[in-house]
Amino acid sequence: MPCGEDWLSHPLGIVQGFFAQNGVNPDWEKKVIEYFKEKLKENNAPKWVPSLNEVPLHYLKPNSFVKFRCMIQDMFDPEFYMGIYETVNRNTKARVLHFGKYRDVAECGPQQEVDLNSPRTTTLERQTFYCVPVPGESTWVKEAYVNANQVRVSPSTSYTPSRHKRSYEDDEEMDLRPNKQKEQHAGARQAGRGVGLQWCGETKRLETEASTGQQLNFLHLSSPFDLNFPLPGETGPACLVKVYEDWDCFKVNDVVELYGVLSVEPVLSVPSHDERETSSLLDPMECTDTSEEQRVHSPPASLVPRIHVVLAQKLQHINPLLPACLNKEESKSCKFVSDFMSELSPVRAELLGFLTHALLGDGLAAEYLILHLISTVYTRRDVLPLGKFTLNLSGCPRSSTFTEHLYRIIQHLVPAAFRLQMTIENMNHLKFVPHKDYAANRLVSGLLQLPSSTSLVIDETLLEQGQLDTPGVHNVAALSNLITWQKVDYDFSYHRMEFPCNVNVLITSEGRSLLPADCQLHLQPQIIPPNMEEYMNSLLSAVLPSVLSKFRIYLTLLRFLDYSISDEITKAVEDDFVEMRKNDPQSVTADDLHQLLIVARFLSLSAGQTTLSRERWLRAKHLESLRRTRLQQQKCVNGNEL
């Protein structure tokens, strides 16, 4: 373990040391950040930092140093806090400066109180993010992170989930204090409410809470707190994240890794008596809005802990088998990456064979599925996203569980995935598009609030005859919008706001999908297993864990490779296209050229080639010819368009 546990168990003590050395000089804040940066570079130190993704909250010590891998689901309004404040000893009148950064509660010692009128008090601003675990994160990703971490924890003795309930003796102490002291405490709370810090007092904190009965009455006014996860069935903690530097670098739906100070102060989730009295004097509608917003923005700390961020970084991917940075210069010289690229060809061949078996012996479908899985939006020209490759796999058997098991296979290969069962009931009742709740002043999540590189499998084989109501029509339109433009229009009631995305969409259907797709491929099974579940399970169990890891590295790594076309090949492609137009002017269009270039791009990258060669161009033409021939044959068999 890294030398010295203080920075892990008592990070605020480290911060206090820098603050004491530098006083009001702002350099102390930079020194704190540099200190923790250097600490995390030592001896695999990140593996020793407890993660909220893996360690239950009640096992973590309050005010300890933790990390959290998450997606920014919402951004609340900035809040003010007391960056520096001064306390006065009531007996000796001695004055002490304190820092408020990385804290929710203003700490002070016995016989001390905060001097709210001190000229040395500094008010600063911080941003609050509402963060949730990465939606759709695959089980193998979670397990790999758990296995990589070297933290071994036991339940914290200094924190229990019921800590927010004060004992009967504490209530008596509160009632027996002199009236003057109570007034001082009330004044401190009233003055401090606008600056984001609760106040300390006689027993190390000057917090005053409502009685237990009043707390319960308040909690019963509202429905149980919704953690606002975008996808159903998600587990893990949501966190309120306090960011102090460079918050403009982050945006909603970014996947980030945070390092910071854990705060689970129970007073944060308890409304003060004064606030409830004030609310009751407001207009009834305003009172409802105020209490609802307060409930959402100040949830129980035992349910939604706070993290005060010391260090934060955007994650380009969440694959634990790869280095964190893949598109920077240093990654090009990374030995791990160069070694893997040298053995890419056999990995591709094994993956092709594996997917061919998963697709019931259809090798052409396996080729296109590989291209789909490594596709990514690499740039946007005006509103057009370049690099998207939505695949419609038609001809899927309706009566079997083929699509469900194919999704399981994909889950074992990619870091994040979600299967949307496209039934009439789901389309009419599920919330696809996030919308703004102005009463609670928060963004209510929807199914399409997904992080970059998520694999979305839409199972259209479950669709039956029925009537789509208005929400259902809007949901279908949202899916079409996502597929065509790689964006989701979030609903802000009075207007819609575009949020760009980068989601790989695979549509499984019997005939041609009702949704738009970049490429339709009709499945031609070569084998029909009598027991689909048994067949797919045996396929997965036959793959060695080391081989499966190579598949996972392959599919993530290739998304980050650069790609270019030389002038010579560009000229050859142009000449070839002109020749194709001459031979078949009615069928060959500019869209066909675009499709060929996309297939050629990902075909080259799938072989580890970052430039287009003549060989790969001819191979792309051959694959497209086979695909089109198959569709034409199916059209002739059925007598209608697929």
Side-chain angles (χ1 to χ4, degrees), residues 359 390-400 402-404 406 419-420 422 456-464 483 505-517 519-525 631 634 638 641-642:
L359 292 165
T390 298
L391 179 62
N392 173 207
L393 194 63
S394 59
C396 295
R398 178 184 180 85
S399 58
S400 74
F402 169 73
T403 297
E404 179 184 348
L406 177 61
R419 174 177 173 236
L420 174 60
M422 197 172 174
L456 176 61
V457 179
I458 301 176
D459 188 355
E460 206 175 289
T461 63
L462 301 173
L463 193 60
E464 296 179 344
I483 293 168
V505 183
L506 173 66
I507 309 167
T508 58
S509 59
E510 284 186 281
R512 183 174 182 173
S513 173
L514 301 175
L515 298 168
C519 178
Q520 181 195 356
L521 177 70
H522 196 79
L523 185 69
Q524 286 188 349
L631 286 176
Q634 193 64 30
N638 287 358
E641 186 178 356
L642 287 173

Side-chain angles (χ1 to χ4, degrees), residues 287-360:
C287 178
T288 303
D289 292 352
T290 302
S291 62
E292 180 64 15
E293 181 175 349
Q294 184 185 56
R295 184 181 72 91
V296 168
H297 287 248
S298 300
S302 58
L303 185 65
V304 183
R306 280 62 163 167
I307 297 179
H308 293 266
V309 175
V310 179
L311 298 170
Q313 64 171 341
K314 288 186 190 178
L315 293 179
Q316 298 167 4
H317 64 88
I318 56 169
N319 190 331
L321 305 175
L322 279 166
C325 296
L326 288 177
N327 62 358
K328 294 184 179 180
E329 289 300 321
E330 56 264 28
S331 70
K332 296 178 181 178
S333 58
C334 175
K335 187 176 186 303
F336 175 87
V337 173
S338 59
D339 288 349
F340 187 84
M341 293 298 292
S342 66
E343 59 177 32
L344 204 65
S345 183
V347 174
R348 187 191 194 281
E350 286 185 278
L351 177 60
L352 182 63
F354 175 71
L355 291 179
T356 298
H357 287 296
L359 292 165
L360 309 180

